[in-house]
């Protein structure tokens, strides 16, 4: 049988995508498609794992046992998301350990939002509400991603994220209906997290180098700016319910466009944080690297034990 | 108070769950593998859930309108009734797993007996908690065996953990004079029965793990009477921080 030439394979691949047929691990795919997915899914996995740190730091200090249990369950969900996503990356032939090493060396990125500190209890509710809220905007679209394992993983992840978003909002409702001190704590968190949350959607469309190809391959369904706008439109009424002020003097409803207008984003800050100069970049990577190094002997022991058992079975 | 003996007993059960749950929560995001991050937060979550039920019941027996949060967050150090073992710092993963194993091996037979308690509330809580505790014991036993019979380093680390923590194990079985009335009434089991089962589990798991039971048998106790180690104060500083810094607020 004559091997199909590359052009023909690419043509058939794109036809499948156009017909909304999912691409599965054993299907032929262009190298660039594979690379793009490995990059994107591993970044997503890293974001889940690094994202455990700012919230995890409040588990021991949660204000009551119910909130402690809710936070434990939430951070546990995130570790679970990390696991699905690393497994998804493995279906593309990448090695979980290697992708983690790329995170530690700085080669792989993760969501910049987690380089901002969680300094008060209100930050925990705000992260749930705004950060998980922004993540959902992205992730709901990813449930229809052309790559099967990623799309299916996202369905479960989205259900949990949407629960987290509502939990975060509910926690803020309690603060905003509480004492003036609690309300001020919530407003302070809003002031610090609003802009970094908007930055989560990534650079503007004209500055986003990978977007056009990802849209054609249906890895992405909406542009960064479209998703950002949907997030602002959905979030402003929620802030009104809470009685919190969004820290943007130019935020206003635009009758003509049917959307909220908002101020330009400080992209200098965005790129500084992406490139390592955020308030907690160093702490986050150090914490992950330390966990890996200090856990090395545990993983070695588990491997050694498994090998001994396998030998005993064959003996 | 209607029943001081029952209050003390339920309080110490609740405090054991609370303090170990709090300690395990410290691991979140720092575990040796992602699967263990999930396992340890999951066990922590189970224990916090148990603490909520037990402390609510303690508050009910006390009859002064205290709920689980009032008891968990607003007592002084000497009013906590957890055993010393559980407030010991996490240390490395071997130390955390050994602490967990020594406790799980005790908790499982205890809950098994408490299911038969004549106090319906204790029986119900024990039944629910027993299901969780069986998983905890399976998980910690497997790690003790894996680490003990893994590499030389893991063997040494987990043996060191056992040597260190052994001194806190007798206290698990301490009984106050008040407890005897509960044993007589069929509400709680006698600790001598629990200790026999604990010793058997410990012996068989440690044997498979190729670990040696320490010969130094000098034992520490005090937690059950509210006399704690230096470590508890720091744990409570974290645990109570919000309730102490922002008193009388709803969260």
């Amino acid at each position: 049988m004559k091997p199909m030439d590359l052009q023909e394979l690419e043509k058939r691949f794109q036809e499948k995508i156009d017909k909304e047929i999912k691409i599965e691990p054993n299907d032929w795919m262009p190298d660039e498609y594979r690379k793009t997915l490995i990059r994107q899914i591993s970044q997503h996995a890293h974001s889940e794992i690094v994202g455990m740190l700012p919230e995890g730091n409040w588990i021991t200090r949660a204000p009551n046992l119910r909130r402690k249990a809710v936070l434990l369950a939430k951070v546990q969900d995130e570790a679970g998301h990390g696991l699905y996503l690393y497994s998804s990356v493995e279906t593309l032939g990448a090695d979980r350990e290697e992708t983690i090493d790329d995170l530690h060396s700085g080669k792989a990125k993760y969501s910049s939002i987690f380089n901002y500190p969680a300094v008060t209890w209100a930050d925990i509710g705000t992260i749930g509400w705004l950060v998980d809220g922004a993540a959902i905007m992205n992730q709901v679209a990813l449930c229809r991603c052309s790559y099967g394992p990623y799309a299916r993983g996202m369905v479960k992840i989205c259900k949990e994220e949407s629960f987290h978003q509502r939990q975060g909002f509910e926690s803020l409702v309690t603060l905003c209906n509480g004492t003036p001190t609690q309300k001020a704590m919530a407003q302070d968190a809003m002031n610090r997290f609003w802009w970094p949350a908007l930055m989560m959607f990534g650079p503007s469309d004209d500055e986003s180098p990978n977007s056009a190809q990802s849209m054609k391959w249906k890895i992405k369904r909406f542009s960064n700016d479209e998703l950002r706008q949907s997030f602002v439109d959905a979030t402003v009424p929620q802030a009104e319910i809470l009685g919190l002020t969004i820290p943007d003097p130019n935020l206003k409803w635009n009758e003509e466009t049917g959307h909220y207008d908002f101020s330009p984003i400080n992209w200098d800050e965005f790129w500084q944080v992406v490139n390592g100069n955020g308030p907690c970049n160093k702490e986050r990577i150090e914490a992950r690297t330390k966990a890996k190094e200090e856990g090395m002997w545990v993983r070695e022991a588990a491997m050694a034990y498994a090998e001994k058992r396998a030998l005993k079975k064959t003996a | 108070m209607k029943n001081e003996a029952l209050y003390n007993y339920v309080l110490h059960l609740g405090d054991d769950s609370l303090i170990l749950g709090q300690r395990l929560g410290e691991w979140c995001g720092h575990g040796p593998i992602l699967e263990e991050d999930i396992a340890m937060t999951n066990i922590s979550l189970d224990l916090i859930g148990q603490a909520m039920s037990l402390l609510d019941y303690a508050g009910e027996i006390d009859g002064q309108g205290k709920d689980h949060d009032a008891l968990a967050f607003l007592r002084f150090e000497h009013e906590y009734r957890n055993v010393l073992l559980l407030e010991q710092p996490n240390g490395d993963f071997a130390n955390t797993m050994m602490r967990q194993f020594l406790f799980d091996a005790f908790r499982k037979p205890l809950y098994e007996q408490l299911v038969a308690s004549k106090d319906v509330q204790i029986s119900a809580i024990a039944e629910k908690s027993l299901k969780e505790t069986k998983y905890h014991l399976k998980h910690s036993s497997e790690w003790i065996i894996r680490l003990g019979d893994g590499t030389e380093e893991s063997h040494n680390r987990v043996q060191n953990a056992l040597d260190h923590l052994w001194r806190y194990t007798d206290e698990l079985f301490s009984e106050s004079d008040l407890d005897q009335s509960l044993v007589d009434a069929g509400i709680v089991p006698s600790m001598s029965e629990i200790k026999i089962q604990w010793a058997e589990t410990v012996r068989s798991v440690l044997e498979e793990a190729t670990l040696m039971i320490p010969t130094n048998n000098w034992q520490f106790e005090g937690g059950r009477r509210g006399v704690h180690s230096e470590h508890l104060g720091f744990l409570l500083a974290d645990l109570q921080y919000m309730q102490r810094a922002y008193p009388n607020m709803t969260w």
Side-chain angles (χ1 to χ4, degrees):
Chain A
M1 198 166 66
K2 192 183 150 199
M4 273 187 274
D5 62 24
L6 196 62
Q7 234 176 344
E8 179 61 23
L9 285 167
E10 275 176 4
K11 188 172 152 257
R12 287 188 184 189
F13 175 79
Q14 190 62 48
E15 277 169 9
K16 267 170 107 176
I17 302 235
D18 294 342
K19 284 187 200 153
E20 302 285 336
I21 298 170
K22 293 277 180 255
I23 305 302
E24 297 299 336
N26 294 329
D27 295 349
W28 185 88
M29 61 186 85
D31 282 349
E32 267 311 305
Y33 178 83
R34 187 184 298 276
K35 271 190 212 156
T36 301
L37 278 170
I38 291 176
R39 189 187 66 235
Q40 182 173 333
I41 304 172
S42 65
Q43 276 184 18
H44 189 169
H46 301 330
S47 301
E48 298 282 357
I49 302 308
V50 176
M52 292 167 69
L53 296 169
E55 295 180 293
N57 109 57
W58 275 93
I59 286 175
T60 56
R61 291 177 293 164
N64 59 41
L65 293 186
R66 179 174 159 259
R67 294 288 178 200
K68 193 189 288 288
V70 166
L71 186 57
L72 274 163
K74 182 188 178 203
V75 183
Q76 195 192 350
D77 283 349
E78 280 154 12
H81 299 171
L83 264 187
Y84 305 150
L85 291 165
Y86 284 124
S87 305
S88 231
V89 176
E90 284 175 326
T91 65
L92 291 158
D95 180 69
R96 172 166 148 188
E97 289 304 313
E98 277 171 28
T99 59
I100 292 172
D101 288 337
D102 286 346
L103 166 70
H104 297 172
S105 72
K107 191 175 150 202
K109 302 292 180 205
Y110 53 92
S111 182
S112 273
I113 192 83
F114 302 118
N115 291 315
Y116 291 86
V119 289
T120 72
W121 173 252
D123 290 9
I124 297 306
T126 305
I127 289 172
W129 174 45
L130 293 181
V131 175
D132 290 58
I136 292 166
M137 286 288 166
N138 259 314
Q139 292 172 356
V140 166
L142 287 172
C143 295
R144 288 165 58 220
C145 167
S146 58
Y147 188 58
Y150 192 28
R152 289 188 289 271
M154 289 318 301
V155 174
K156 183 165 193 293
I157 291 176
C158 277
K159 281 183 190 158
E160 294 181 350
E161 294 288 7
S162 129
F163 195 60
H164 297 165
Q165 196 258 353
R166 280 176 285 163
Q167 281 174 333
F169 186 77
E170 186 262 343
S171 166
L172 287 177
V173 168
T174 308
L175 295 193
C176 291
N177 291 331
T179 63
T181 306
Q182 287 172 299
K183 179 89 187 264
M185 193 190 270
Q187 181 65 54
D188 166 66
M190 172 66 145
N191 294 347
R192 284 178 290 109
F193 276 96
W194 175 253
W195 289 107
L198 293 198
M199 292 177 199
M200 283 175 68
F201 297 94
S204 285
D205 297 346
D206 46 2
E207 300 282 329
S208 181
N210 304 315
S211 282
Q213 183 63 66
S214 284
M215 299 275 269
K216 189 170 171 236
W217 278 334
K218 297 190 181 171
I219 295 174
K220 261 177 105 117
R221 298 271 177 172
F222 300 98
S223 77
N224 293 352
D225 285 333
E226 284 170 337
L227 291 166
R228 187 167 13 244
Q229 185 68 56
S230 306
F231 174 72
V232 172
D233 292 346
T235 309
V236 173
Q238 294 170 4
E240 282 166 4
I241 292 170
L242 291 171
L244 294 176
T245 306
I246 290 177
D248 180 356
N250 298 316
L251 184 93
K252 63 170 193 299
W253 179 252
N254 184 328
E255 283 292 348
E256 241 170 73
T257 60
H259 294 291
Y260 282 92
D261 291 338
F262 53 94
S263 299
I265 284 170
N266 180 348
W267 293 113
D268 283 346
E269 176 180 326
F270 173 78
W271 287 113
Q272 286 294 334
V273 179
V274 167
N275 290 319
N277 294 325
C280 299
N281 295 57
K282 188 166 174 284
E283 286 87 342
R284 301 296 183 236
I285 292 299
E286 274 175 5
R288 290 311 310 159
T289 310
K290 187 165 174 269
K292 180 163 187 190
E293 283 169 4
E294 289 185 356
M296 192 76 80
W297 68 270
V298 178
R299 296 190 298 277
E300 284 168 1
M303 291 299 288
Y305 177 75
E307 280 165 24
K308 281 186 202 178
R309 291 288 290 233
L311 273 177
K312 265 186 201 167
K313 265 190 185 168
T314 54
Chain B
M1 195 184 301
K2 280 191 297 190
N3 191 335
E4 196 186 346
L6 189 60
Y7 172 74
N8 273 317
Y9 197 91
V10 176
L11 193 65
H12 94 60
L13 287 176
D15 284 348
D16 279 355
S17 293
L18 174 70
I19 299 302
L20 185 57
Q22 175 76 4
R23 274 288 185 231
L24 286 175
E26 294 171 15
W27 268 103
C28 182
H30 309 283
I33 41 172
L34 196 45
E35 287 80 350
E36 279 311 297
D37 260 319
I38 297 177
M40 286 191 282
T41 43
N42 204 353
I43 296 166
S44 172
L45 187 55
D46 285 345
L47 290 165
I48 296 299
Q50 292 175 16
M52 288 167 83
S53 307
L54 290 161
L55 294 178
D56 272 336
Y57 186 40
E60 201 184 308
I61 300 161
D62 184 36
Q64 294 184 55
K66 287 182 186 170
D67 64 1
H68 57 253
D69 286 329
L71 287 169
F73 293 92
L74 298 173
R75 277 178 292 157
F76 296 113
E77 192 179 327
H78 67 271
E79 294 170 315
Y80 285 81
R81 290 287 178 265
N82 59 285
V83 290
L84 296 177
L85 175 69
L86 303 178
E87 70 199 41
Q88 298 310 305
N90 286 336
D92 64 7
F93 185 71
N95 193 73
T96 295
M97 275 306 123
M98 184 54 79
R99 183 185 64 198
Q100 188 72 37
F101 167 67
L102 293 170
F103 180 67
D104 293 339
F106 156 77
R107 253 296 162 91
K108 180 173 162 275
L110 178 63
Y111 276 140
E112 278 167 348
Q113 295 292 320
L114 287 174
V115 170
S117 171
K118 286 192 176 154
D119 182 299
V120 288
Q121 192 71 24
I122 289 185
S123 170
I125 296 172
E127 196 176 340
K128 174 184 170 286
S129 307
L130 177 60
K131 286 180 197 150
E132 298 165 348
T133 306
K134 282 179 179 170
Y135 279 109
H136 303 172
L137 177 61
K138 183 172 186 292
H139 173 258
S140 59
S141 302
E142 285 172 358
W143 270 111
I144 293 305
I145 294 166
R146 220 174 267 140
L147 296 179
D149 195 18
T151 61
E152 192 184 339
E153 179 176 9
S154 68
H155 177 88
N156 291 340
R157 279 177 185 263
V158 76
Q159 181 68 56
N160 286 342
L162 176 61
D163 293 347
H164 172 63
L165 295 171
W166 191 251
R167 72 196 66 180
Y168 303 111
T169 51
D170 258 7
E171 192 188 11
L172 291 166
F173 311 99
S174 64
E175 284 175 298
S176 72
D177 296 342
L178 286 171
D179 291 349
Q180 192 53 49
S181 65
L182 301 174
V183 176
D184 295 342
I187 293 171
V188 309
S190 149
M191 280 297 174
S192 56
E193 293 169 35
I194 307 295
K195 188 167 186 179
I196 292 166
Q197 293 184 56
W198 176 85
E200 178 46 31
T201 307
V202 168
R203 189 200 56 76
S204 76
V205 170
L206 294 184
E207 190 179 291
E208 197 179 341
T210 71
L211 295 171
M212 300 290 289
I213 289 181
T215 47
N216 179 359
N217 214 18
W218 180 250
Q219 292 284 322
F220 286 61
E221 60 81 38
R224 284 269 182 269
R225 306 181 273 121
V227 181
H228 291 278
S229 62
E230 284 183 349
H231 305 297
L232 186 67
F234 293 100
L235 181 149
L236 294 180
D238 269 357
L239 178 74
Q240 298 187 344
Y241 162 66
M242 288 294 292
Q243 290 288 345
R244 298 297 189 189
Y246 303 93
N248 304 317
M249 297 183 199
T250 302
W251 302 93

